[in-house]
Amino acid sequence: MSEDIHDGAGIGYGAGVAVSRPALSPQFLDAVADRVRAVDAELARNYPGDRPGQPIHTAYVCAADASKELPHEWSAAAMELTDDHIDLLAELADTDVLARVRDVLQHRPIQDLRLDFEDGYGTRGDTAEDRDAVRAGQILNALPATVAGRGIRLKGLTGGEWRRALRTLELVLDGAGGVPTGFVFTVPKFRAADQVDIAVQLCTALESAHGLTPGTLRFELQIESPQAVIATDGTATVARAIHRSAGRCSGLHYGTYDYSAACGISPQFQALDHPAADHAKSVMQAAAAQTGVWVCDGSTQVLPVGDEDQMAAAVTRHYRLVTRSLQRGYYQGWDMHPGHLVTRWLATYAFFRTAKRIAVPRLDAYLQRHTARGGIVDEPATAQALATVVLRGLDCGAFGPDDIEAMAPALTVDVLTALRERILPKP
């Protein structure tokens, strides 16, 4: 029997082409539909999509050295470095980028802050740590709104430290009079997914004991060992951890030097750009993709201090490392010194402004339904990525909406947001 089928019972292949009606029963198709819906629902739960608002950095400061004036102090030190080495910085970025960096260093130098009670703090005794924990809570609560993210790094959830870690967290919350806006705590030395179960249990118990809204406390996992990346059975520990966190895990932070040492890398080669670091961060990136969990690169121990040659080497090194991380899709990293803020913002702004020059014409062409410059025909997924990088640049202040609309009037923030969600705006 030869016929065209267009009534939903089969597939029409054009006039004169012989086709057959499907032999599959409606009952079978209904059963498949149920399974497809179930799989779709599970994927939607586990992979809700990327979470906007990621800061470009996290500043780590010893909790014993912190004060309410910390943003101002880091701002002043960063501005001094900028003014003293303006010629060197001008070799890395143009004058417009430098002007924007000076403005951000003056008014909102730190986006995200962790007061450290772990390696940067050491063991000072319970009396001292109790006092510093209460004071840390007061400091976190008093920070300006420009510091959108704030929190602490605990000691590890291990046999010898978990009681001290829990006591410190509780005293920080007491000092703050509750959970500060944007609060998160970092769990260092993460090695097994079971430690995430413990962290969730501690959060639930603290919320209950202190009358906090359930789900308020969130944590980050610091990836500092090979076991955090690959488990004994060969699976990705970080992936299991994310999906066992009950939605409380907000980020994965790479620990450069602990991880390198655990892999047996000689100290002179321990760095963010070592192949072992690239592997670890690639696994973290794949595990966190589309889960809403942010991936944060690690730090460099090379500080911008010393004579002119040392300063130049440190500044150019950090600028290169930040740029390299951005190119690989790691949009956040640690800063350990006020001078790191200068090259962090400089590299970030330069990266996004370059991305804007490439992305905006392609998005404009995509909206107009014709071939983009250079013979590139972009698909919805590419348009989504292009829109996302432009929105990241807008979010951190590398440029403003007017800069985008001057290049492509149709590319408003609303249109970019729709493209990020893979929604093609109506003409």
Side-chain angles (χ1 to χ4, degrees), residues 9-43:
I11 303 174
Y13 295 99
V17 179
V19 296
S20 299
R21 291 183 179 274
L24 300 176
S25 70
Q27 292 82 2
F28 174 81
L29 295 176
D30 288 343
V32 171
D34 288 341
R35 294 197 64 184
V36 168
R37 282 192 292 268
V39 171
D40 286 347
E42 183 176 4
L43 287 170

Side-chain angles (χ1 to χ4, degrees), residues 347-369:
T348 299
Y349 277 8
F351 172 83
F352 283 116
R353 289 173 71 83
T354 298
K356 176 199 67 174
R357 289 195 295 269
I358 297 169
V360 170
R362 287 172 63 177
L363 286 169
D364 190 37
Y366 179 79
L367 287 177
Q368 296 179 42
R369 310 291 205 285

Side-chain angles (χ1 to χ4, degrees), residues 359-361 363-364 367 390 401 404-405 408-416 419:
V360 170
L363 286 169
D364 190 37
L367 287 177
V390 173
I404 302 299
E405 293 184 37
L411 280 181
T412 64
V413 173
D414 288 343
V415 168
L416 288 166
L419 291 172

